Amino acid sequence: MSNIVIVGTQWGDEGKGKVVDLLAEKADHVVRFQGGNNAGHTMIVEGEQFISHLIPSGIIQKKVCYIGNGVVVDPTVLLEEIDTLSSRGIDLSPKMLRLSEKAHVIMPYHKSIDNARELKKGDKKIGTTGRGIGPCYEDKATRRGIRFCDFKEMDLFKEKVRSIMEEKNFYLEKFFGTDTLDTEAIIDEYVEIAKKLLPYITDTSVEVGDGIKKGDNVLFEGAQGTHLDIEHGTYPYVTSSSTVSGNACCGSGVGPKDIHGVVGIVKAYTTRVGEGPFVTELFDEIGTAIQKKGAEFGATTGRKRRCGWFDMVILRNSARLNGLTDLAITKLDVLDDLKEIKICTSYKYNGESIENFPASIKTLENCEPVYETMPGWEEDITGVRKFEDLPENAQKYLKRLEELSETRISIVSVGPDREETMVLNDLM
Ligand code: IMP
């Protein structure tokens, strides 16, 4: 038995979907534990592309997938995703997809508030995905959320929605000056949605726990990245959930003794979508070249991702925060054409060297990267399947990342397809 957590180490979009899909082959269960449809996971199998926002990537490998209690779920998006993936021959019957009764429901007012708030903030906006994630977690924390177990008691559900919407409509109209929402129309819509989702709703903690007792392998699939974590990220430019490995336990209802490894997904360079400080960001033609070659557009919003050099301050931070046991390096091939490659090993702030990621946004905004430069390999590596067959400079780059992060590299990805991968150490 081996239960592994997969987390993003940077600002999301590291290519977790591909690694989960790969490791899911040996898993019996795949569990999402936080975030919502702000995530976008792209998997390419034999040239065919699959994108999921809520359903764990393991579904492509025909594994039983769970949406844990820590996830916030837009039920309309979930139903659409079930329909789209089913129409492509993937089994999404309730025996394959299980939805936690404790997961919170994203309601239409969460989306309205998310967008109205961003609009009101103007150039101080967070750059959210506009999917209602923050407002839904907010209601969870203030104990006004709707959970999927409420779909089993529709009278109570209606009562709750009517009472909450009085306040939400007041807020939308009086504070943001935007349109209010029709409470009864929302209730009618959700009554229909609830009927469709009822067969999926269950106690996922019990089901995953039973699997663990039997000795099954469980993969916990994180969304976003460590530096978007509500506790440890570049606050307030973060998402509203905890994205680090510790939350795999809380967000799926398992204990820490059942976790045996934590794989950090690391892009061979750095990207970020949305606002917030980014010390190694490139504003030159190299940044543009990486953006183009890496097809760096958000899978959820289609926004261009900001690109920059590898930031070891960030990876060291992630290694500690997540207790990383292994690294999976993705998109190494995107660096194929570069003459030189840089790794930021520390920051300079007010003439002083900074080794640890600062909490203050103001400090971060004024940090300068200190780089170590390595020669590029200037060769196409997409066909390479063994570490020893990589060009010498690519091997040196990877070894240096391993050395500086003090974490072993177990997977290297050199292209989007499942096949374009090297597994250096077996993980499950
Ligand atoms: P929210 O999660 O929609 O509230 O957005 C908050 C911040 O997290 C924004 O900067 C988003 O761009 C970012 N974000 C949320 N989900 C993802 C993701 O899956 N990948 C990358 N960035 C994300």
Side-chain angles (χ1 to χ4, degrees):
M1 174 183 74
S2 185
N3 304 325
I4 300 231
V5 183
I6 309 272
V7 288
T9 56
Q10 294 152 320
W11 279 292
D13 309 313
E14 296 92 351
K16 291 177 290 294
K18 173 176 167 170
V19 179
V20 172
D21 170 60
L22 189 83
L23 293 179
E25 199 183 344
K26 293 197 183 148
D28 300 290
H29 313 267
V30 183
V31 189
R32 268 277 311 261
F33 56 89
Q34 46 73 225
N37 62 313
N38 45 352
H41 291 161
T42 308
M43 293 138 288
I44 300 180
V45 185
E46 288 163 12
E48 226 190 309
Q49 178 170 292
F50 298 87
I51 294 182
S52 73
H53 298 281
L54 275 168
I55 297 174
S57 318
I59 204 73
I60 313 290
Q61 291 274 20
K62 304 184 175 66
K63 303 302 161 134
V64 184
C65 286
Y66 301 82
I67 297 178
N69 55 275
V71 182
V72 288
V73 180
D74 185 330
T76 50
V77 173
L78 180 60
L79 285 170
E80 266 167 38
E81 213 161 272
I82 291 174
D83 280 352
T84 312
L85 292 174
S86 301
S87 71
R88 295 181 66 185
I90 297 167
D91 182 2
L92 274 157
S93 61
K95 78 176 188 315
M96 297 303 290
L97 179 68
R98 316 296 289 140
L99 171 61
S100 170
E101 58 192 4
K102 292 185 198 155
H104 279 245
V105 183
I106 296 182
M107 300 292 291
Y109 46 82
H110 292 134
K111 289 179 269 187
S112 301
I113 291 170
D114 196 358
N115 290 310
R117 194 177 275 158
E118 285 282 275
L119 204 65
K120 194 172 168 88
K121 279 189 176 157
D123 60 5
K124 293 214 168 49
K125 68 179 194 289
I126 305 285
T128 72
T129 57
R131 304 298 193 257
I133 308 295
C136 185
Y137 276 117
E138 211 172 295
D139 278 353
K140 176 177 182 172
T142 51
R143 293 154 292 185
R144 288 173 303 177
I146 306 277
R147 299 185 299 166
F148 281 93
C149 55
D150 296 328
F151 281 5
K152 293 179 180 167
E153 292 166 294
M154 260 348 222
D155 285 343
L156 198 66
F157 169 82
K158 289 177 190 172
E159 210 178 287
K160 277 190 185 174
V161 175
R162 284 189 189 114
S163 134
I164 296 163
M165 283 203 57
E166 204 182 321
E167 186 185 322
K168 300 294 178 191
N169 273 336
F170 180 83
Y171 191 39
L172 284 169
E173 189 184 358
K174 306 284 184 222
F175 186 69
F176 293 118
T178 54
D179 293 341
T180 55
L181 298 167
D182 181 339
T183 305
E184 295 310 313
I186 289 175
I187 287 177
D188 290 347
E189 188 193 348
Y190 275 66
V191 165
E192 293 311 308
I193 287 173
K195 282 185 203 151
K196 292 186 189 153
L197 284 178
L198 271 179
Y200 295 92
I201 300 170
T202 187
D203 187 335
T204 48
S205 162
V206 168
E207 292 189 14
V208 174
D210 286 346
I212 291 175
K213 266 193 216 153
K214 270 197 321 194
D216 288 350
N217 289 337
V218 185
L219 204 57
F220 297 90
E221 172 178 348
Q224 290 85 44
T226 299
H227 294 82
L228 286 173
D229 183 279
I230 185 87
E231 308 272 346
H232 302 289
T234 46
Y235 192 89
Y237 299 100
V238 292
T239 192
S240 299
S241 63
S242 181
T243 58
V244 296
S245 62
N247 194 33
C249 290
C250 187
S252 49
V254 306
K257 78 170 173 32
D258 291 319
I259 305 291
H260 309 111
V262 182
V263 182
I265 315 299
V266 193
K267 209 181 271 190
Y269 47 96
T270 313
T271 62
R272 168 162 213 170
V273 226
E275 311 302 313
F278 179 176
V279 178
T280 62
E281 184 165 11
L282 287 165
F283 298 96
D284 59 5
E285 66 286 359
I286 298 180
T288 311
I290 292 177
Q291 195 274 328
K292 271 202 176 140
K293 180 141 197 212
E296 294 294 354
F297 290 97
T300 301
T301 56
R303 289 180 289 179
K304 250 190 198 178
R305 295 178 186 143
R306 299 152 66 192
C307 296
W309 292 121
F310 196 98
D311 188 337
M312 192 52 75
V313 180
I314 277 184
L315 184 55
R316 277 198 305 263
N317 200 35
S318 279
R320 189 190 67 261
L321 290 169
N322 293 293
L324 297 183
T325 54
D326 300 84
L327 301 179
I329 307 288
T330 59
K331 293 191 142 182
L332 187 64
D333 57 299
V334 173
L335 306 181
D336 277 357
D337 306 325
L338 301 179
K339 240 186 168 49
E340 286 185 331
I341 295 170
K342 294 188 181 184
I343 302 174
C344 167
T345 51
S346 62
Y347 301 155
K348 200 140 234 149
Y349 176 71
N350 275 346
E352 276 183 35
S353 172
I354 294 197
E355 305 280 329
N356 294 314
F357 200 69
S360 154
I361 288 296
K362 215 159 164 219
T363 306
L364 256 178
E365 277 168 352
N366 292 296
C367 279
E368 279 174 37
V370 176
Y371 287 119
E372 189 174 292
T373 304
M374 301 189 73
W377 44 93
E378 297 179 85
E379 224 179 285
D380 179 358
I381 59 165
T382 49
V384 181
R385 296 291 172 269
K386 280 194 202 139
F387 182 82
E388 310 77 72
D389 296 340
L390 280 169
E392 198 188 338
N393 286 345
Q395 292 191 22
K396 281 189 178 157
Y397 182 60
L398 293 176
K399 289 218 167 101
R400 191 67 184 135
L401 297 185
E402 228 171 20
E403 193 175 30
L404 290 168
S405 65
E406 298 177 13
T407 314
R408 69 174 185 172
I409 295 175
S410 291
I411 293 173
V412 180
S413 166
V414 290
D417 204 284
R418 191 189 276 163
E419 300 306 314
E420 292 169 316
T421 316
M422 286 168 247
V423 178
L424 316 184
N425 301 295
D426 273 332
L427 296 176
M428 289 189 105

